[in-house]
Amino acid sequence: MKYHMIAFGLGFLLDLLLGDPYWLFHPIRLIGSLIAFLEKKLRKEKDDTAKQFQMGILLVVLVLITTLIVALAILVGAYWFHPIAGIVVETVMTYQILATKCLKVESMKVYAKLKEQDLEGARKAVSMIVGRDTECLDETGVAKAAIETVAENTSDGVIAPMIYTAIGGPVLGFVYKAVNTMDSMIGYKNDRYLYFGRAAAKLDDVCNYLPARISAYFMIFVCTFLGKAFDGRHAAFIYKRDRYHHASPNSAQTEAVCAGALSIQLAGDASYFGKVVKKPFIGDAVRKVEFEDIKRANRLLYATAIACEAVCLGVMALFLVL
């Protein structure tokens, strides 16, 4: 537990300092390559819906088992060699699981382009972090897309993997990331993945159910410490009212808090692959969305991540004492 606490804390600090440099190898790319490889082998257009669903389950099982075995072998091997080596390896693995600075860096690219009044550049930048069509978005639409991504991924990309890593070390953390990566690659409700990707999508919903709600409560809590631009009471109100205004049971949890905290309206209809998808709004349009809200959303992200990290370390310390 002592070694785990050290690595957990250092990994979080590395994430805040370094983020995800493009030149640095990232193991999630290997998981993505494995998913793509298995999809080519298992998904056949001629298969009926039942067979596609079964092959999708098989893909999920194979990816999770492979991730578990590889991560466990690396970690156990490092600690077997020497405790210091184990701490170093676990620190690096923990760092690679979290995505706090990466999320900030990518969203702030959108902010920078909007500040320069470069709408085309902003559309291109936001297209790198969202799944919707961005070609027809105006400045408000681009800003909203970036804010929603920061809000949603506060849970998916930061708090959820942090919680799973705190509970089961980087092995469980990477298993969660494998689930999340499968959902982002094949968890779509379109003709290609409706049945083949259903198991991945449902598993992601299950794995994120509690973390999404924990993230929302942390976000509400930290509003108190972030100044006048953040309204904690309104965040709590909008959370209770709008937390299920999304097709996913989890995505609107943190989006609702963010919308309420900033007194803006998020979500609404969006275009995916040329098709407009009807979506309810989240939050009230107390004021118009502005590009500065991207920066505010990132402040909320960082405060939430720090609060959760502190609580996780506190719980670990308690177990260490007991």
Side-chain angles (χ1 to χ4, degrees):
M1 180 62 75
K2 181 171 65 176
Y3 296 156
H4 178 45
M5 282 183 64
I6 294 170
F8 187 76
L10 290 176
F12 178 66
L13 290 177
L14 280 180
D15 175 50
L16 295 185
L17 291 172
L18 301 180
D20 184 18
Y22 292 113
W23 54 265
L24 186 65
F25 167 78
H26 203 293
I28 300 302
R29 296 172 192 167
L30 283 180
I31 295 175
S33 297
L34 175 62
I35 295 167
F37 171 78
L38 290 174
E39 180 188 347
K40 289 180 181 179
K41 296 295 182 181
L42 298 175
R43 192 186 71 82
K44 307 297 180 183
E45 295 286 353
K46 63 181 180 179
D47 288 342
D48 58 28
T49 57
K51 183 66 176 296
Q52 288 189 34
F53 180 63
Q54 291 168 1
M55 292 298 100
I57 293 175
L58 180 58
L59 180 145
V60 168
V61 171
L62 291 174
V63 170
L64 293 183
I65 290 175
T66 303
T67 303
L68 176 67
I69 292 173
V70 172
L72 187 62
I74 292 172
L75 190 63
V76 171
Y79 272 111
W80 175 84
F81 180 75
H82 195 279
I84 299 299
I87 292 173
V88 171
V89 169
E90 185 174 356
T91 296
V92 173
M93 292 174 76
T94 301
Y95 152 60
Q96 292 176 322
I97 288 167
L98 303 174
T100 317
K101 186 172 182 179
C102 178
L103 184 55
K104 177 186 175 182
V105 168
E106 294 303 318
S107 62
M108 288 303 289
K109 289 178 182 178
V110 182
Y111 169 86
K113 292 298 181 181
L114 288 175
K115 192 172 183 179
E116 295 169 2
Q117 298 184 333
D118 180 3
L119 181 55
E120 286 302 317
R123 287 170 176 166
K124 183 177 180 181
V126 83
S127 72
M128 305 302 292
I129 57 174
V130 300
R132 73 191 66 178
D133 301 331
T134 62
E135 297 85 358
C136 298
L137 293 178
D138 59 12
E139 290 184 6
T140 299
V142 170
K144 281 177 60 176
I147 295 162
E148 290 165 17
T149 298
V150 172
E152 181 179 351
N153 283 283
T154 296
S155 173
D156 292 0
V158 180
I159 303 302
M162 183 183 293
I163 290 172
Y164 281 111
T165 303
I167 294 170
V171 175
L172 187 59
F174 270 112
V175 169
Y176 166 79
K177 293 296 288 186
V179 172
N180 199 236
T181 305
M182 285 188 286
D183 179 62
S184 67
M185 291 180 66
I186 64 173
Y188 297 101
K189 292 181 179 179
N190 55 25
D191 293 339
R192 182 183 180 94
Y193 295 121
L194 182 59
Y195 297 100
F196 184 76
R198 182 172 294 179
K202 293 299 181 183
L203 181 59
D204 185 76
D205 286 344
V206 171
C207 290
N208 278 300
Y209 189 85
L210 286 177
R213 286 145 184 83
I214 292 170
S215 301
Y217 281 107
F218 269 118
M219 289 177 78
I220 293 169
F221 170 72
V222 300
C223 285
T224 308
F225 308 97
L226 294 178
K228 295 180 180 179
F230 300 84
D231 189 336
R233 289 185 178 180
H234 196 227
F237 171 74
I238 296 298
Y239 170 69
K240 292 177 181 178
R241 191 191 73 185
D242 295 351
R243 64 187 184 275
Y244 292 116
H245 285 193
H246 199 286
S248 163
N250 304 320
S251 294
Q253 301 289 321
T254 46
E255 284 187 41
V257 176
C258 185
L262 299 179
S263 298
I264 58 176
Q265 191 173 71
L266 299 175
D269 298 348
S271 175
Y272 295 87
F273 307 105
K275 182 180 179 181
V276 176
V277 177
K278 296 289 183 180
K279 293 183 176 183
F281 287 107
I282 297 174
D284 295 327
V286 177
R287 62 175 180 80
K288 186 178 178 181
V289 175
E290 57 188 25
F291 62 80
E292 287 293 334
D293 289 318
I294 300 174
K295 185 182 289 186
R296 295 181 184 116
N298 277 301
R299 285 180 61 194
L300 192 57
L301 158 68
Y302 265 63
T304 303
I306 291 169
C308 187
E309 176 76 12
V311 170
C312 287
L313 286 171
V315 173
M316 288 181 201
L318 183 61
F319 273 98
L320 188 63
V321 171
L322 296 177

